[in-house]
Amino acid sequence: MSDNWIVQNLNSALNTWNEKLAEIWTLLTQSPESFKGGDIWSVITGINGALTAIGYGLLVLFFAAGIVKTCGSFTDMKKPEHALKAFIRFALAQGAIMYGMELMTALFSIVQGIVSTIMAQSGMTNGRRDRTSSRDCGKMIEAVGMLESIPLWIVTLLGSLLITVLSFIMILTVYGRMFKLYMYTAIAPIPISTFAGEPSQSVGKNFIKSYAGVCLEGAIIALACIIFSVYSASPPAIGDTSLSAVTIVWNYVGGIGVQPAGAGGCGESI
């Protein structure tokens, strides 16, 4: 470990990124039931159960409103095709409310399978890093004189700040996805009840689309982390002596600022 302040500052920022990235991988593989010990899920389940009773009431209301809207007269309602269509819609909507929690959990499990497949096929556990470049980078920083180190300090501060900010933005994004999953699950019986009426079914469709989008955010986040990590697996070469130390270090920081969890920072093994 180097005693140079610049190297230590970069390593500190990169350690923060690696810790947050490791936390992101853990959260992406967690289910809402196991998140934070399951206490939040218990509360959400209770809210969902309470709103289910309200959902049944709204089910009848939306069903009646749909009948009035789609049938021009009572005579139309007497037609077998209209009556059968209305009965099937009502039964399906009632079943969706009754088993809404199971349906949403099943949809989440399908997406989690996609996320797990992406992470497994990426081979991130076998990620490699350029140790020689990191050692050379640290030696180059320590060889810089006092005056030349002033712009290097500025570059280091900006780079470490960027890395730290990005790491917290990504972890907040992952936590935000989990909270949105909880909110969608809690209020599910209300929008699902709109399927009972043909005029109001668009509300339920939009709800299901939005929930599926939130679930798929996990796959997008995993892909983003994988792409960034693969990109940074081969940091830019630092053997070009025609470049200044500031330029070389800035290029190096830009290349390793998004390393896989567990990768070493600039100056490792010095």
Side-chain angles (χ1 to χ4, degrees), residues 120-264:
Q121 292 299 318
S122 67
M124 291 305 301
T125 55
N126 297 323
R128 298 175 59 184
R129 58 179 184 258
D130 188 347
R131 293 177 179 269
T132 303
S133 295
S134 63
R135 289 195 296 268
D136 293 342
C137 178
K139 294 177 181 178
M140 186 172 296
I141 291 175
E142 293 181 339
V144 173
M146 179 62 68
L147 292 179
E148 295 176 343
S149 65
I150 294 177
L152 195 55
W153 288 345
I154 298 175
V155 169
T156 303
L157 287 173
L158 292 176
S160 60
L161 179 61
L162 177 63
I163 294 170
T164 303
V165 170
L166 286 177
S167 65
F168 278 99
I169 288 177
M170 291 200 66
I171 194 65
L172 287 176
T173 302
V174 177
Y175 274 106
R177 169 181 177 263
M178 190 65 71
F179 290 148
K180 284 188 287 186
L181 288 173
Y182 283 133
M183 289 187 286
Y184 274 94
T185 304
I187 65 170
I190 304 302
I192 289 179
S193 65
T194 61
F195 282 111
E198 186 173 349
S200 59
Q201 66 180 351
S202 60
V203 177
K205 291 181 179 179
N206 291 333
F207 174 80
I208 297 298
K209 290 179 181 178
S210 299
Y211 179 75
V214 172
C215 292
L216 285 173
E217 282 183 11
I220 301 302
I221 294 171
L223 283 173
C225 292
I226 291 169
I227 292 172
F228 285 150
S229 298
V230 172
Y231 167 77
S232 65
S234 299
I238 63 175
D240 190 353
T241 57
S242 63
L243 298 176
S244 65
V246 174
T247 302
I248 292 175
V249 172
W250 180 251
N251 290 338
Y252 192 84
V253 170
I256 65 174
V258 285
Q259 293 185 79

Side-chain angles (χ1 to χ4, degrees), residues 11 13-25 124-131 134 229 232-233 256-266 268-269:
N11 279 330
L14 291 173
N15 287 335
T16 300
W17 167 261
N18 291 329
E19 291 173 2
K20 297 303 178 184
L21 186 58
E23 188 175 357
I24 287 173
W25 290 124
M124 291 305 301
T125 55
N126 297 323
R128 298 175 59 184
R129 58 179 184 258
D130 188 347
R131 293 177 179 269
S134 63
S229 298
S232 65
I256 65 174
V258 285
Q259 293 185 79
C266 183
E268 181 187 17
S269 301

Side-chain angles (χ1 to χ4, degrees), residues 68-80:
V68 173
K69 187 73 174 180
T70 56
C71 296
S73 63
F74 184 72
T75 304
D76 294 336
M77 188 56 195
K78 289 183 178 180
K79 296 179 180 180

